[in-house]
Amino acid sequence: MPPPDILVTAALPPFLYDPLKADYRCHDYYVATDKPAFLAAQGGHIRGLVQGGHTPTTPALLAALPKLEIISVFGVGYDGVPVDYCRQRGIKVTNTPDVLTDDVADVALALILMTGRGFVRLDRFVRAGGWLERGPELTTKLGGQKVGILGLGRIGKAIAQRVEALGMAVAYTGRTRQDVPYRFVPDLTALAAESDFLVVASPGGAATRNLVNADVLAALGKKGIVVNIARGSIIDEPALVAALQAGTIKGAGLDVFADEPRVPAALLTMDNVVLLPHVGSATHETRQAMGDLCKANLDAWFRTGKVLTLVPELA
Ligand code: 8YV
């Protein structure tokens, strides 16, 4: 039997791509210049697809892959995948949960520390020689402040544990109340109104698009900082920029953006904003574990007809 044909729709790191190429016939769709011609030639025998967490995969692309059996996502988020369409076609969709939870939660914690205690601004202050002229600014103690988490999944819970260790108070909102020692606030605007930090940790996709809108930001108000480690699409980005420009909110710590790697120009010059280049899972250990799991799902499917981490909507 020849190895299964796999369509690769995003650039993959060598520690994933090299083992993939050893076991599968990989087709680099993402670099093809004439994509329709590429699909006409290869689409008919593709049985698997590998993509990044937020790589868009359209139903039109999938329609050109009639023999597709599985999409293995290199990432926990699969907001780029049309899951309902996949259900109808019987296409399995897998992701890489758990292995990146701690790293992503660490980034949320770091953004809380960097924005709340002004650490990035203070680093700039030292480098610019400001300390030679005056003492550093005073900031606000984190212990005792309130953290509102939008989306208390695996990553949201790991964030809650970390901020609890700082003595911060946790409340959350999401689709359902959970059996957890944190207060559930059903309404996002009400959660924002009572929070000093509003941390976005929910999945991306149509259901959460622009959930953090101008009203939510107004409720968060001058005391509040937005932290986003999830997806840029969950925050209405122009509304966020406007709220920061107008001083409606205190600041923002952002690891994700609506149109990555492009970041709204206005944010680049704001002193009360910390910007990271989507590094939630960006450690050697975690990316390796994500790569291993991404391939393990393909291997399990083609060897046993079962997958390891099917997305919950298809379970
Ligand atoms: C990665 C992510 O940057 O897991 C996710 O959903 O957004 C990140 O961990 C991405 O998936 C790499 O493709």
Side-chain angles (χ1 to χ4, degrees), residues 8-12 17 27-32 35 38:
V8 178
T9 63
L12 301 176
Y17 205 18
H27 302 271
D28 286 335
Y29 178 69
Y30 69 99
V31 286
K35 290 190 165 36
F38 185 97

Side-chain angles (χ1 to χ4, degrees), residues 10-11 51-55 73-79 96 100 104 229-231 256 278-282 287 290:
Q51 63 166 84
H54 41 114
T55 313
V73 179
F74 174 59
V76 69
Y78 47 93
D79 40 305
T96 63
L100 45 57
V104 180
I229 48 76
R231 286 288 182 265
V256 289
H278 198 147
V279 289
S281 64
R287 285 281 166 85
M290 290 165 63

Side-chain angles (χ1 to χ4, degrees), residues 54 200 208-218 226-246 248-249 251-268 270 273-278:
H54 41 114
V200 180
T208 57
R209 188 169 304 284
N210 291 341
L211 218 51
V212 178
N213 57 22
D215 292 343
V216 173
L217 295 168
V226 176
V227 168
N228 190 2
I229 48 76
R231 286 288 182 265
S233 60
I234 305 167
I235 299 183
D236 177 345
E237 211 167 64
L240 174 64
V241 171
L244 287 162
Q245 281 170 330
T248 309
I249 63 170
L254 307 169
D255 186 42
V256 289
F257 303 88
D259 185 26
E260 296 172 11
R262 280 160 289 278
V263 172
L267 297 180
L268 302 178
M270 290 180 184
V273 173
V274 174
L275 305 167
L276 296 178
H278 198 147

Side-chain angles (χ1 to χ4, degrees), residues 163-186:
V163 299
E164 266 196 310
L166 303 187
M168 303 179 88
V170 177
Y172 71 100
T173 194
R175 277 167 307 176
T176 49
R177 182 191 298 270
Q178 302 184 47
D179 186 15
V180 289
Y182 312 118
R183 207 158 42 79
F184 179 58
V185 180

Side-chain angles (χ1 to χ4, degrees), residues 55-84:
T55 313
T57 295
T58 60
L61 168 61
L62 297 180
L65 311 173
K67 296 218 175 98
L68 187 69
E69 298 165 37
I70 178 170
I71 298 176
S72 180
V73 179
F74 174 59
V76 69
Y78 47 93
D79 40 305
V81 180
V83 176
D84 287 340

Side-chain angles (χ1 to χ4, degrees), residues 38 46 53 58 64 78 83 89 113 119-120 141 155 159 164 167 181 200-203 229 232 268 294:
F38 185 97
I46 297 292
T58 60
Y78 47 93
V83 176
R89 284 252 320 257
L113 286 161
F119 289 147
V120 175
K141 180 180 166 72
I155 294 171
I159 295 168
E164 266 196 310
V200 180
S202 59
I229 48 76
L268 302 178
C294 177

